Amino acid sequence: MSQIHVLVINCGSSSVKFSIINTRSGEAVLTGLAERLLSNKASFTLHYQQQSEHFSLQAPYDHQAAVAALVQQLSKLELLEILSAVGHRVVHGGEQFCQPALITKEVKQAIADLSRLAPLHNPANLTGIHAAEKALGHLPQVAVFDTAFHQSMPKKAYLYGLPYALYQEHAIRKYGFHGSSHSFVAGQAANFIGKPASQCSFISAHLGNGCSITAIQAGQSVDSSMGFTPLEGVVMGSRSGDVDPGIIFHLIEHLAYSPEQVHQLLNKDSGLLGLSGLSNDCRELEQAAFQQGNHRAKLALEIFCYRIAKYIAALCAGLTSLDGLIFTGGIGENSSYVREQIINQLSLLNFHLDQDKNRETRFGKSDDISTPSSRYALVIPTNEEGVIASQSVQVLQEAI
Ligand code: ADP
């Protein structure tokens, strides 16, 4: 079969990220972003063949306008005709979707119904699907779910210590997210260490703006740090991760917080941003901590790393063996400081860092940063768009 190109769309509440992936090579032919949608500062950026195009979007500044602008650009670049499918990242697939799905009326209805579990994400994903159908209706559209990879978690891992009826009647359970990333890096890590994925066990740490840790045995997720929503787990850029639920009652009963204010506090004002009072961006905090001696920035990074190490150790309980640890995402792939702090915290689990390799590991390159006597500590660049594209092609081939 010749080259297959898939347009991958990742639609957030105020942005549309897109790329065209060549599924033979896994490479991105074109990438871009429409951001600040629904405001009059909406802009559009596209990168293609070492050239960049940047312009302000015209009213109505919405997702539909962003996708229309994208189609116009693709037409100008004569790229529309190379596309075979559109792959959509969809955050929540609930218990219905443990695989990607060809988008039909029923699938769209299911994604809409699942909005009650992901009110910030699924409606935005659905907007992207509608916009792409309108502009590129001749192409098959595929939904790839962030939660699907974690549907292999056993009940003991995904149920909370809450009344069982809440699970049965309201689907309240742990789902786990970043599934495309965790499954991809686990596959790459197995290749790296030269073992079949079916015989490998890893803990993968996806550390970006959102962060999650997953225990993966024989290529399957057995437990993960994110839960019913992406708020559970480790400290993130602006999300708190785990807190004592008693704090929420205290905020409401004694400090007059409304539910909306608690939501804002835990999702937008906490994490690295809330701790440092400076930024949610790891790179900026490292600069502030180590070049300007900012103590709060250093403390925020210390807490971030400690909580990740603690989760890695806890998630080992879900595994019967452990080959190694995987770092991925913007922070995992780039921050030698964060990797060092985490690995140094885990010497009891026989993780030991090779300082030179850690410093030398560059963006976009897979490497082992452990000493010879250590378990593997791997840095593996993620490729969520590549996974969405290849899974989209797989769905189409199965549908033929
Ligand atoms: P998203 O979750 O939005 O996809 P990314 O995976 O791109 O985010 O990760 C963004 C994070 O990666 C930011 O906190 C950023 O500061 C961090 N990052 C990127 N490059 C570096 C670097 N060289 N050193 C430290 N942190 C970095």
Side-chain angles (χ1 to χ4, degrees):
M1 206 180 292
S2 61
Q3 313 286 348
I4 297 185
H5 292 91
V6 175
L7 173 63
V8 174
I9 293 187
N10 181 354
C11 212
S13 54
S14 64
S15 69
V16 182
K17 275 192 208 162
F18 51 83
S19 50
I20 294 180
I21 305 290
N22 175 339
T23 56
R24 291 262 152 240
S25 64
E27 309 238 308
V29 173
L30 170 148
T31 60
L33 170 73
E35 57 189 332
R36 300 197 195 90
L37 298 177
L38 311 176
S39 83
N40 58 9
K41 293 200 181 106
S43 67
F44 186 99
T45 310
L46 181 144
H47 308 285
Y48 177 61
Q49 290 185 339
Q50 274 112 41
Q51 306 258 330
S52 290
E53 184 103 29
H54 181 81
F55 53 86
S56 298
L57 267 184
Q58 301 305 309
Y61 314 118
D62 59 7
H63 296 78
Q64 195 85 52
V67 175
L70 169 62
V71 170
Q72 203 179 20
Q73 293 298 313
L74 296 185
S75 164
K76 211 167 88 185
L77 296 166
E78 297 180 357
L79 289 172
L80 277 181
E81 42 277 20
I82 70 167
L83 297 177
S84 304
V86 184
H88 295 270
R89 178 184 183 204
V90 178
V91 167
H92 218 305
E95 290 191 331
Q96 277 115 300
F97 297 103
C98 54
Q99 298 288 342
L102 189 64
I103 296 177
T104 59
K105 213 166 107 217
E106 292 73 28
V107 168
K108 279 186 283 184
Q109 187 57 50
I111 294 170
D113 292 345
L114 286 163
S115 291
R116 74 188 190 286
L117 300 181
L120 298 180
H121 298 99
N122 274 29
N125 301 152
L126 209 47
T127 308
I129 291 171
H130 287 140
E133 279 182 336
K134 192 156 176 212
L136 298 163
H138 59 290
L139 292 173
Q141 318 264 330
V142 178
V144 178
F145 300 91
D146 243 28
T147 48
F149 177 59
H150 300 292
Q151 280 298 300
S152 49
M153 288 193 290
K155 243 181 182 158
K156 67 179 176 190
Y158 72 68
L159 284 183
Y160 291 107
L162 290 167
Y164 196 70
L166 284 176
Y167 165 59
Q168 286 178 306
E169 291 163 25
H170 301 287
I172 295 180
R173 50 159 283 180
K174 184 187 272 284
Y175 288 96
F177 298 86
H178 290 143
S180 301
S181 177
H182 289 296
S183 70
F184 175 76
V185 296
Q188 296 292 107
N191 287 343
F192 189 95
I193 68 171
K195 266 171 82 172
S198 60
Q199 290 168 27
C200 289
S201 296
F202 294 110
I203 302 274
S204 74
H206 177 107
L207 310 178
N209 282 314
C211 301
S212 69
I213 321 293
T214 294
I216 300 162
Q217 177 122 14
Q220 297 206 311
S221 167
V222 293
D223 203 349
S224 194
S225 61
M226 282 182 170
F228 179 62
T229 72
L231 181 55
E232 189 182 346
V234 296
V235 169
M236 307 177 213
S238 65
R239 287 179 223 152
S240 62
D242 295 347
V243 295
D244 177 350
I247 294 170
I248 297 170
F249 303 121
H250 185 83
L251 291 170
I252 292 172
E253 286 163 17
H254 300 290
L255 301 175
Y257 274 64
S258 66
E260 292 72 30
Q261 285 171 321
V262 175
H263 190 280
Q264 167 78 19
L265 178 86
L266 298 180
N267 281 288
K268 302 265 159 88
D269 301 338
S270 295
L272 291 174
L273 173 65
L275 285 164
S276 67
L278 195 66
S279 171
N280 64 343
D281 188 282
C282 181
R283 203 172 357 188
E284 279 182 34
L285 291 185
E286 285 186 28
Q287 268 164 14
F290 305 116
Q291 286 168 28
Q292 291 142 29
N294 184 313
H295 295 295
R296 285 260 301 278
K298 183 154 184 284
L299 179 64
L301 288 168
E302 278 172 8
I303 295 167
F304 177 75
C305 296
Y306 176 67
R307 292 229 167 203
I308 292 167
K310 202 160 97 166
Y311 246 106
I312 290 169
L315 285 171
C316 286
L319 300 173
T320 52
S321 61
L322 179 62
D323 290 286
L325 181 58
I326 305 167
F327 290 100
T328 195
I331 299 173
E333 291 166 39
N334 294 298
S335 173
S336 52
Y337 169 80
V338 166
R339 294 190 301 246
E340 178 177 351
Q341 295 304 301
I342 294 170
I343 291 178
N344 286 348
Q345 199 73 50
L346 293 169
S347 55
L348 258 184
L349 291 177
N350 193 21
F351 283 107
H352 305 287
L353 185 73
D354 182 320
Q355 304 265 6
D356 293 335
K357 281 194 194 163
N358 185 38
R359 266 193 302 271
E360 284 157 16
T361 296
R362 295 265 178 277
F363 173 74
K365 195 170 148 265
S366 293
D367 217 338
D368 175 21
I369 54 169
S370 65
T371 62
S373 66
S374 165
R375 285 184 211 275
Y376 286 106
L378 304 171
V379 180
I380 309 270
T382 195
N383 184 358
E384 287 169 288
E385 285 76 19
V387 174
I388 293 170
S390 63
Q391 293 196 348
S392 299
V393 170
Q394 220 172 310
V395 166
L396 296 184
Q397 285 169 345
E398 282 162 12
I400 290 170

